[in-house]
Structures are given as C-alpha cells and as structure tokens.
Amino acid sequence: MASKSSKGSTSSSSSILPSKEQSLFRNLVQLYETKQYKKSIKVADQILRKYPNHGETLAMKGLVLSCIDRKSEAYELVRLGLRSDLRSHVCWHVYGLLYRADRDYKEASKAYLQALRIDKDNIQILRDLALLQIQNRDLDGFESTRRTLLTLKPNQKNNWIGFAVANHVNGNLNAALNVLETYEGTLNESTTANGKDSENQEERYEVSELEMYKVMIMYENGDYEKVYEYLLKNESKMVDKLAVAEMKAKVLFNLEKIEDSIRAFDDLLKINSENREYLSYYLKCSLRMNEMECFETWNPDLMVQELRDYCLSVCDDLAIKYPDSMSFPRAAMEFSREDAFLKRADVFVRPLLRKAVPSLFSILKHFYSDPAKARILGNLMESFRKSLNQDSPQFPPLTSSENTSESNPEQPHVLLWVLYYLVLHYDEVGEYEKAIEIADLGISHTDSCIDIYLAKAKAMKHKGDRRGAVEIMNHARKLDLSDRYLNHKCSKYAMQADRVDLAEEWISLFTRDGEFGGIQALYDMQCMWYELEAGDAFLRLNEFSKALKRYIAVNRHFDDILEDQFDFHTYCLRKVTLRSYINTIRMENHVKEQRYYIRSVKGLARLFFRISNETEEQQMMRRMTVDELELEKATPAERKKILAKRKKAQLKKDAAAESVKLKAEKDESVTKKTQKGPARPPGWMEIDPDGIELLRNVSDYQEEAFKYVDELRKWAPNDIDTQSLVFEAAFRKQKYLVALKSVLKAIKIAPNHAKTVDMVALFFDFLENDSLRKNLPAAVDTVLKSEEIALRERGNSAVDSITYYARRTGDVSSSYRQVSAGKALFRLIKSRNDSNAFLRQQALDFLCEWDTKASLDVRELEEVIFCADEYGLSSSELDTFREACKKKYPDGNAFGGGALTISTE
Amino acid sequence: MQAVNIACLPENYQMKYYMYHILSWPQLVFVAEDFNGKVVGYVLAKMEEEPSAQIHGHITSVAVLRSHRKLGIAKKLMLAAHCAMRDNFRAVYVSLHVRKSNAAAKHLYIDTLRYKIHDIEAKYYADAEDAYDMRCYFNSE
C-alpha cells in the first residue's frame, strides 16, 4: 500500500538513504505487501543497524508489527519514526493505516490529511482518505477528496462515478447528474461503439446499472417528466425490466397520467399480485380516476365510508380478475365491516383450512386490533367447529349464499385446523384457559400435529406458566428433532422461563458442524435474538456479568455491520451497483434504530442502573471472579488451604499445557497440515464467557448507564422506555430541565403509559420539594414554572396525579391503569421515604384490587415481582400482591402457580 | 433475512455475506413479508463467474419459516429469481445444491420448478451428507 507513495517520494531530505539501503527499503515494502512479515522485520532491522533513525523504516517496521498483533510496539515505533521524519508522507500514511486497522477512522483521517499536506496529489493516500471519509460520513470531506481524485485522474471511470456518488449523498442531485452526463459526453468522443458492444454481458449490465442510477437520481430530484422521457429513450439499454416497469408506473402516477399509470400497475400486479405497494398505487389510481380524494397512508380506519366502500369494490373486482391471489380478498376484508366482512372472511378461510395452511391466523391477526372483527372471526370458526363435529363433517352453508343445502363432506384434518385456529384466536383475545382446552381437543384429535403444541405452549406462556410452556414446547421439539425452527422456539421459551442452561443445551444441538460449537457458533452467525433473550434472562436473575456479556455481544454485531460497509465503498464503484449501494449507505445510517440494538442498549442501561443501586460491598463482590469470591468468604485458615491447593493445580495445569505445546510443535514439524489446525484461537464468546472481566473493566456504573441512555436518546427518541430512562438519568444528574423535557415528551408519545404516570408523579414530587428547588438557578426555576401548567392537567400534586389517572373511567384498560397507579405510588413513596401508612395502603390497594375479569398482560404483574426492590415492596406486601395475581393467573410461575420445575422427560 | 435463515437451515452466514449478494446482484434477492411486515421467507441467488462456461445463476439459499409453509412462497420466490437472472444477466440455466435427504425441497425443485439432477457431489455439506447438483435450463420452460 505504501509502495507507490514511497517510490514516488521526492520530499523529505532527511529520509534519503544510500542506494543500497534504498533498494532494501523497496524490498521491505514488497515483503510487507506480500505478507512476509518475518522477512520484512529482518530487512527493516538490516537498514536500522546502519541508520537507526531512519523514520520511514521505523514506521514500516511498526506497520509490520501491527500485522502480527504486536500493537503497542507498533504504535511506539511508528511514532518514533514520525518524530525522526515529520516531513515524510510515508510515515503519516503508515500512522493512518495503523489507526484504520484499529477502526479508529477519525484519527486515521487526520494522519492521512497530514500526509497529503506533504504530498498533496498522492493518489493512493487520497483514495484511502475518501474511503475513511465515507465510512465516517464526513460527507463534505468525501466530496472534496473525490473532486481532487477526479481532477487528477479524469480518465478513470471510477473517479467520475465516485464524484457523482459524493454529490448524491451530499444532496446535490443536479450536480451528481451533471457529473454522470459529462462523463458520458467524454465517452462518446473517445469510444463511439459503446452501445453496440452490448454483446459483452458484463458491460451490458454495467451500462444498464449506470442508466438506472441516473434515473434514481432524477426521480429523487422530482424531475418526473425527465425520468419518463429518459426511460422511453433509453429503455433498450436497461436490462432490469422489473425496475424499469416499477419506475415507469410510479412516474406516470406522479405526472398525474392516471390511466396510463393504472395500466402499468395492473401489469405489475400480473407479475406479482401479492405486492402490497402495487396494490396501494392501484387503489390510489382508481380513486383519482373517480376524482375521489386519495389516501396518504393505507389505513381503512381513518377513511370515510365512501372511500372505504370504493376501495372495497376495487379489491373485489381484482379478486375476481386474479383468482389465485390472496392479497385482494384479504384487502377487501380490510375495507369491509360487519356482515360484509363476515361474508368475505367466510369465503376466504375455507380453502385455506382445507389446505391446512398453518399461517392462516397470522394472515388474519391484523384484524384483531378491531374487537368487532375479532368476534366475527371467532364466531365463524366456532360455527365451523360445530358443523364439522357432526357425524358427516362439513362446513355450514356459506353466509353469502341463499342456498342452504348441504355441502360436500370434509376431510377430518379440516376440523383439526379449525381447532388450531381457535386456540390462537382465544389466546389472542386473552382467553387462555379456553385456548388450552381447545388445544387439548386438537391433541386428542391428532396427537402428532406439532403446530397444536406450539399454540398450546404459547397460551400457557401468556398465562404465566412459563415452565409448563417449556415442557409442551419440548414435547413438540421431540416430535421432529431435525427441525431447527422448533429447536429455536423451544430454546427461546426456556430462556423466558429463566432456564438459560436448558436453552444452551438444546440450541447447541444444531451448531456442531462448524469449527466452533455452541454459543460461540451462534455469536459468529450473529444470532442476536438468542443473545438478547439470554441477556434478559440473566438480568432477571441478577447475574449481571453474564447479562452484560450477551448484550455487549449484540452491540458488537452492530459495530461489525457498520464495519461491513467498508469494502463495498470501492467494490460498488467497480461493479456499478450504485442504486443498491446508496440504499445500503442509507440503511447503515439508521441501522442502530433496529429493535435488536435498541433492546440491547435498554438492557445495558437498566443493568448499570441496577448495579449502581447496589451497596458498595455488593458491587465489590460483583467485580470478583469465582476464585476471589471463594477466598473472600473463607476464614483465614481455609484461605491458606485453598491457596495451596490452587498453586498445586496451577503447576499441574502449566505442566500439562507445556507438554501439549511441545507435542503440538513436534507434530507440526513432522507433518504440517495433516490435521486441522490444532490450536485455533478462542472466539470472543469463549474468552471470559461469563463477562466477569468485562464488568470489572467498567469503573463507574452510573456513568456507563448514562452512556447507554444517550445512545437510546440518539436512536430511539420516540420510545417511552427511552424517555423513562432519560428521566432517571436526568434526576441522578440533577438536570431538572432535561427531566422536564422527557416528561413532556412522554406525555406526548404515550400519555396513558404506566411509565408516563410514574414520571409525572416523580416530577411533581420534585416541584413540591422546596428545599431542592430553592437551590436551583433562577432561570431554571422560571422555565419550570412556565411549563408546570402543562403538567397541572394531570393533577395538582404527585399523589393526585396518580389517583386521577387510576380513577379515570371509560376505557377498557382499567386494570392496567390501576396496577400502573399502584406501581407509581410505591415508587413515589420509596423516593420520598414516606412513612404515611394510609398512602401505603392505598398503593397496595391499587396494586391488588383490580377487576380480575378485565384484560391485563401477565408481564405487567410479573414485572412487580422481578423489580420488587425498585418499588420498595415489603415481603408481606409482596405476598398480598401474589395472592391477588393468583386470582387472575392461578398458574403464573411468578405467583407460585403452574409447573414447579421443568421436566424434560 | 438472517433470522429466517438461522431458524430454518443448518448453513448460516454473517451479515456481510448477505450484503455481498445484495450489492453484487441486487436483482437476485427477494424476500416475502407477512402482513405485519415481518420477513418470513427469502431467496438469495447469484451469478457464477466462470468465464468459460455458459452464463448461469446459482441459488445460494432459499428458506421459508415453518409457520408460513404451504402458501407457495418458496415457489414464487424462486420464479422471481429465475426471471431476474434471465432479464439482467442472460442466464441460460440456474443451478443449486440440495441435500440428498431433503424430500420436500427436492419435490419443489423437480416437480414444481422442473430442475433436473445434473450431478452428485459427495460429502458436500459440513456434516458429510451428499448433495445433488441440480440444474434448470430456461429455454426448456
């Protein structure tokens, strides 16, 4: 990499070597580039013996050392080299390369810029710098570097494309287009036969991709007219027929050429009738043609009746035109209600039941947000069950037909899939007992049907019997041991029942093939859902270091995914797959908004807040290894014994390791590569598997929590959990304005959420606390006063805001609000250190006296048990609470019900 | 896509491999989403880059979640990939590997999509199972 630059080196007088050493230096660079590191070092040393202060040689030696994992020496040597030859661009370049290898792109960029100051037209360094800048999203810098590269080497295609891309990502769409057009202009002058040469497939494809890229830029620029004309003129050059057809259809729509547009989307629906975007456009076109108002986003609930009916008729027509498609009849169900909905549902589900389609419920699940539709579907299926249960099993007559005569008899499996549907139905509407009862009917109908067990396990989990659910899942898993889907589901259930050990055992059954097994293999394959579930389970179990290890694993995957872009910055310019490249860049800009990352960071923030709540003594124990803990707990006499024992064991281990090493060396010298590498380096999950070192390296738990809260604020600001954690951090930091902001934001995004109630109450409490308030700067107090009014809508005091919330009537979630109020009141009491017995009783009443018939997610209740410390519940209060929960969820494991252990027999 | 892959198949890949496909042959990657926008199936395909042979594509991986089978999703994904291979890359045929023991997949490839067994690759998979090397010529469709 440094070779070109060093050959062209003309600067820095101090670095000039005599010709013999110069050729040695060239040799050194060559050896480095061919990865012959040992030889490189020898040559470097040879030069350094004569010229110990030769900067570039020192730097090169450092670079070589960094490749063989001697990082700290490497930095030392390169810095030494720099000091002896500050005017050498080679030294600066090498310095940049070191940082780049360590993924520190900021520092690397700085070093490259220094190198360019000395040798401003060095192509190699410029290219490397451009890479770093786009990776780092230093977009202005990227554009300017790309401009320099184009100016220096205008005969290279990549430089034109690179500069166009730089303009595009910077939002200079016109400029990007100009660059590409200018480039094509230069082509026409030099090579005339560009169009004819399309016999060469690779070139044909590249030409097409570049044309499509131009179209993409024009479209984003809103030049629809131009896009349309361009497509017509150049279509023969574009091989991506599907993309061309999509683009044409969209452009026609934007140009209000509605009749042409609807035809174009109809053609697309012929290709893929299940594509929802096509259908959405088709509907919009139909509405426009009828001069009806168009919808922005597809949401039947927000549409006026007239609009909905019209969409319904369009979908019905399409369903007749495309009888094999599922999306049209299903869309018709979205636009219909009551009897119209029932009729369509009835026709829709029958063939799918006959075909035994397991995803039928998932296809219809969306309708359950409307309780009326959920009821209709449930009744329909119950009517099927009744009719199919007769001696001659058959469906009842279609709701839509007048004909009441009997239909043909059905196969027995149809009843089974009706039962399966009903299990999921009752589970979804919260009738878990009924779901389980029907599941058992299904099992006695066909005890080999795996899906029924999955549905049953789900219902059991939802009523809190997590351990019982694992048993059912495990039964299903055993019915088909070769099915990885079942294996994963089963492992997930085990973790949700806090049995990570079982989960690890099961999930590892499928990871034995590769070089690594078990958890390391899952880490290598970035299996994040697994790590998140394990992290959550360990957090519940207060095994902080283990949880930390899992969450950090997830964060590392995201860093890797960001890093993954690096090679493609060059690759895509060459391949000309620029549309895809731009989309990837945009995806990466938002990759940390993905829910996996957010879940992980939430876990980390909670974890560190929890540890920071512990006493100093507890924290100290956390930092200890198992060995150290053993010593800590032992008496002095025992301690001596333990130490002696350990020393002996260590000696034995060392000796064993030594003999293994000797043997390995011997084997290697005798037969190289006869067996697989005997000592593969351990993976990240295998080093410090329990995260003890990881936790030990954190010096300030609270600061660490703050760090993750900031990350959440950056990537998930509209998440209520984020605001709640921001609030907590702000209070700990005594940043009351930040706290206020998060309360207001919470009210905006989730006014009825338990966390919002919590925050409002705690903030009121702060406002009522004169001793705290009088120490505030006057400016802060003024802002607080002006914003207080917004909060007063929710009550007049801390306690008031909670009771006001709990007593408000009129919506279905009354029990949720009651429990939430209980939690908030307990938190308030704890934070105030309040000893008011009346208030405490009131909190307990809220927490325990709610309507057991109303719907309430078991997790809301479990959370109180897991976090009893945070709410400051006494053990007798906790018992009262458990009893109350048992009335609704008698089998809830957290309340002492359900399966006591997990039997894996 | 990655999550669907690891829930269905023993052969798994890192994210970068998916990116490599999307950025090399953007037209040859398709996913199926359920009505909640969750990915439930995918096909990952590529073009073989041996200059000597006939131009042909290769199905790297295709999978549909167990919970979403029997809807013809795999077939639709495969056909979409085939079509894109012909349009964009002038592929003459497409090849794939399948485990000898995988009856359901063989049924899809041979009976529904008209693939023919071209060769057997001994011990192709990490667990030493043999693979059928199958091909589907487009002009015969």
Side-chain angles (χ1 to χ4, degrees), chain B residues 8-28:
Chain B
C8 297
L9 300 174
E11 295 81 25
N12 311 124
Y13 319 104
Q14 291 181 345
M15 198 56 93
K16 195 168 181 181
Y17 192 63
Y18 295 88
M19 281 169 77
Y20 167 64
H21 271 80
I22 290 169
L23 292 169
S24 301
W25 309 278
Q27 292 85 1
L28 302 187

Side-chain angles (χ1 to χ4, degrees), chain A residues 620-674:
Chain A
M620 213 170 70
M621 307 277 262
R622 294 255 172 243
R623 289 175 188 276
M624 291 182 186
T625 61
V626 181
D627 285 354
E628 287 166 343
L629 262 178
E630 193 186 10
L631 282 185
E632 179 68 26
K633 285 177 186 161
T635 62
E638 285 171 339
R639 215 171 280 179
K640 233 178 188 172
K641 256 191 210 162
I642 294 169
L643 281 176
K645 210 169 124 196
R646 276 191 201 159
K647 198 170 175 188
K648 218 167 142 189
Q650 187 58 42
L651 284 174
K652 216 168 152 187
K653 220 166 123 189
D654 287 349
E658 188 62 24
S659 76
V660 167
K661 202 174 141 201
L662 280 173
K663 192 168 178 291
E665 274 168 11
K666 211 168 124 195
D667 287 351
E668 206 174 4
S669 60
V670 176
T671 48
K672 260 190 181 172
K673 282 190 182 174
T674 44

Side-chain angles (χ1 to χ4, degrees), chain A residues 764-816:
Chain A
F764 265 126
D765 188 47
F766 155 72
L767 290 176
E768 289 158 11
N769 189 333
D770 292 334
S771 62
L772 266 179
R773 262 185 96 161
K774 71 172 185 245
N775 293 329
L776 292 177
V780 174
D781 207 55
T782 318
V783 178
L784 288 178
K785 274 199 185 106
S786 70
E787 296 290 341
E788 252 183 85
I789 305 156
L791 293 176
R792 292 286 167 211
E793 281 175 24
R794 300 181 69 105
N796 278 318
S797 68
V799 176
D800 196 26
S801 74
I802 296 171
T803 46
Y804 179 72
Y805 166 81
R807 299 234 166 85
R808 224 180 43 212
T809 50
D811 61 64
V812 282
S813 51
S814 63
S815 47
Y816 168 77

Side-chain angles (χ1 to χ4, degrees), chain A residues 286-337:
Chain A
S286 308
L287 290 169
R288 283 260 177 94
M289 265 163 59
N290 270 278
E291 293 179 347
M292 290 167 82
E293 203 188 327
C294 220
F295 55 86
E296 271 301 314
T297 46
W298 176 316
N299 187 349
D301 294 336
L302 297 178
M303 292 180 185
V304 295
Q305 169 103 32
E306 194 195 5
L307 211 63
R308 225 172 28 229
D309 287 347
Y310 187 77
C311 289
L312 176 62
S313 70
V314 174
C315 290
D316 282 342
D317 290 346
L318 283 170
I320 295 166
K321 195 168 163 193
Y322 298 101
D324 290 338
S325 167
M326 211 163 65
S327 68
F328 306 126
R330 191 189 167 285
M333 288 166 72
E334 286 186 53
F335 293 112
S336 55
R337 289 178 180 180

Side-chain angles (χ1 to χ4, degrees), chain A residues 418-594:
Chain A
V418 168
L419 293 175
Y420 174 67
Y421 184 95
L422 282 168
V423 180
L424 294 169
H425 165 83
Y426 287 115
D427 175 63
E428 183 68 26
V429 298
E431 294 185 40
Y432 307 123
E433 296 300 336
K434 187 128 194 200
I436 291 164
E437 187 190 312
I438 294 178
D440 287 334
L441 288 176
I443 291 167
S444 53
H445 181 288
T446 309
D447 66 0
S448 59
C449 174
I450 291 172
D451 304 75
I452 280 270
Y453 293 100
L454 300 191
K456 181 179 176 181
K458 194 174 183 185
M460 291 179 73
K461 183 176 94 175
H462 286 157
K463 63 172 194 148
D465 189 1
R466 293 167 184 279
R467 291 190 285 261
V470 178
E471 287 180 2
I472 302 292
M473 265 297 172
N474 192 33
H475 183 78
R477 183 183 70 87
K478 284 184 187 163
L479 288 175
D480 186 355
L481 285 171
S482 68
D483 191 318
R484 198 171 190 184
Y485 179 85
L486 297 176
N487 178 283
H488 277 198
K489 278 256 165 189
C490 192
S491 305
K492 185 170 174 179
Y493 273 56
M495 287 189 281
Q496 291 176 348
D498 297 340
R499 288 293 301 270
V500 186
D501 55 330
L502 278 179
E504 283 188 2
E505 187 189 320
W506 285 330
I507 204 160
S508 299
L509 293 173
F510 272 84
T511 55
R512 286 204 178 139
D513 294 350
E515 193 185 346
F516 291 89
I519 307 313
Q520 179 62 36
L522 289 168
Y523 172 80
D524 288 339
M525 288 306 141
Q526 303 168 322
C527 188
M528 294 191 253
W529 70 262
Y530 176 79
E531 285 156 350
L532 284 169
E533 289 291 347
D536 291 347
F538 283 128
L539 188 56
R540 281 193 297 271
L541 294 165
N542 282 335
E543 298 200 40
F544 294 135
S545 71
K546 289 182 186 172
L548 177 65
K549 181 83 183 180
R550 269 73 182 174
Y551 290 135
I552 294 291
V554 174
N555 285 13
R556 285 171 63 97
H557 297 322
F558 275 89
D559 287 340
D560 285 340
I561 291 170
L562 281 171
E563 178 67 21
D564 285 344
Q565 303 170 75
F566 204 97
D567 295 342
F568 293 112
H569 300 312
T570 323
Y571 179 82
C572 289
L573 290 191
R574 216 173 57 229
K575 275 263 178 185
V576 208
T577 47
L578 301 164
R579 285 174 298 161
S580 209
Y581 172 67
I582 294 283
N583 287 332
T584 304
I585 295 283
R586 288 176 182 164
M587 179 278 287
E588 294 278 14
N589 287 342
H590 296 276
V591 76
K592 289 194 167 175
E593 292 168 13
Q594 294 285 322

Side-chain angles (χ1 to χ4, degrees), chain B residues 5 11 17 20-21 30 38 41 49 53 58 62 67 74 79 82 84-85 96-97 120 128-129 139:
Chain B
N5 164 270
E11 295 81 25
Y17 192 63
Y20 167 64
H21 271 80
F30 291 90
K38 190 181 113 186
E49 283 161 336
H58 183 81
V62 55
S67 54
L79 287 176
H82 288 180
M85 278 177 194
L96 57 77
H97 289 112
I120 296 176
E129 186 173 341
N139 53 13

Side-chain angles (χ1 to χ4, degrees), chain A residues 154-162 183 206-207 210 574 576:
Chain A
N155 57 346
Q156 281 190 3
K157 183 180 173 185
N158 284 356
N159 288 342
W160 287 91
I161 297 179
Y183 164 64
E206 282 177 15
V207 168
L210 195 58
R574 216 173 57 229
V576 208

